């Protein structure tokens, strides 16, 4: 589940600005949150330390992975653009305008 997001993070597809913006969305996520495995969290923490030029705690790494996963699975109800794509494009984000992408669309 988090493997694809972590792979993109490790490949350097996300800038520091994108990571910070995605992380800021995490506190808005309601309902049951899937939590990444500790090994994935540790790998993400090390990579985030490189990108953000500083010490990153496990909590920040976990929240960032949760937010990136969420952003990769939700699209805007009008434009159909993924939340992560809008964040990367530096668009204004209105969190409630993004809907869950169906499993049919993910395939």
């Amino acid at each position: 589940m988090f493997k694809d997001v972590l792979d993109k993070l490790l490949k350097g597809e996300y800038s520091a600005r994108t990571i910070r913006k995605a992380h800021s969305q995490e506190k808005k996520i309601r309902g049951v949150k899937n939590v990444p495995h500790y090994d994935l969290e540790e790998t993400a923490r090390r990579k985030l330390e490189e990108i953000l030029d500083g010490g990153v705690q496990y909590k920040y790494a976990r929240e960032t992975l949760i937010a990136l996963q969420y952003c990769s699975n939700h699209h805007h109800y009008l434009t159909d653009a993924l939340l992560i794509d809008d964040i990367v494009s530096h668009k204004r984000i209105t969190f409630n305008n993004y809907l869950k992408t169906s499993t049919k669309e993910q395939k």
Side-chain angles (χ1 to χ4, degrees), residues 24-52:
S24 71
Q25 304 305 310
E26 192 274 339
K27 64 182 174 248
K28 300 173 188 173
I29 299 171
R30 299 285 182 241
V32 177
K33 295 179 188 178
N34 293 320
V35 179
H37 189 271
Y38 177 78
D39 293 340
L40 299 176
E41 211 175 285
E42 171 61 22
T43 305
R45 187 187 67 77
R46 282 193 230 126
K47 183 62 179 180
L48 288 169
E49 282 182 340
E50 291 175 24
I51 295 170
L52 301 176

Side-chain angles (χ1 to χ4, degrees), residues 10-26:
L10 293 174
K11 290 178 185 174
E13 292 187 25
Y14 304 125
S15 67
R17 181 178 177 174
T18 298
I19 291 167
R20 287 186 187 101
K21 184 69 174 180
H23 180 266
S24 71
Q25 304 305 310
E26 192 274 339

Side-chain angles (χ1 to χ4, degrees), residues 5 8 24 39 47 57 66-67 69 81 86 98 104 106:
V5 173
K8 288 181 180 181
S24 71
D39 293 340
K47 183 62 179 180
Q57 296 182 358
I66 291 168
Q69 181 68 33
D86 286 348
Y98 293 87
K104 183 179 179 181
Q106 290 176 356

Side-chain angles (χ1 to χ4, degrees), residues 84-97:
I84 191 66
D85 294 336
D86 286 348
I87 290 172
V88 169
S89 300
H90 308 297
K91 294 189 178 176
R92 173 176 266 187
I93 304 299
T94 304
F95 188 77
N96 292 331
N97 289 344

Side-chain angles (χ1 to χ4, degrees), residues 50-97:
E50 291 175 24
I51 295 170
L52 301 176
D53 294 327
V56 174
Q57 296 182 358
Y58 289 102
K59 181 179 187 253
Y60 188 89
R62 178 178 49 250
E63 289 173 351
T64 301
L65 283 177
I66 291 168
L68 287 172
Q69 181 68 33
Y70 183 91
C71 292
S72 297
N73 290 330
H74 287 75
H75 65 94
H76 195 278
Y77 77 101
L78 292 176
T79 65
D80 208 36
L82 286 174
L83 178 54
I84 191 66
D85 294 336
D86 286 348
I87 290 172
V88 169
S89 300
H90 308 297
K91 294 189 178 176
R92 173 176 266 187
I93 304 299
T94 304
F95 188 77
N96 292 331
N97 289 344

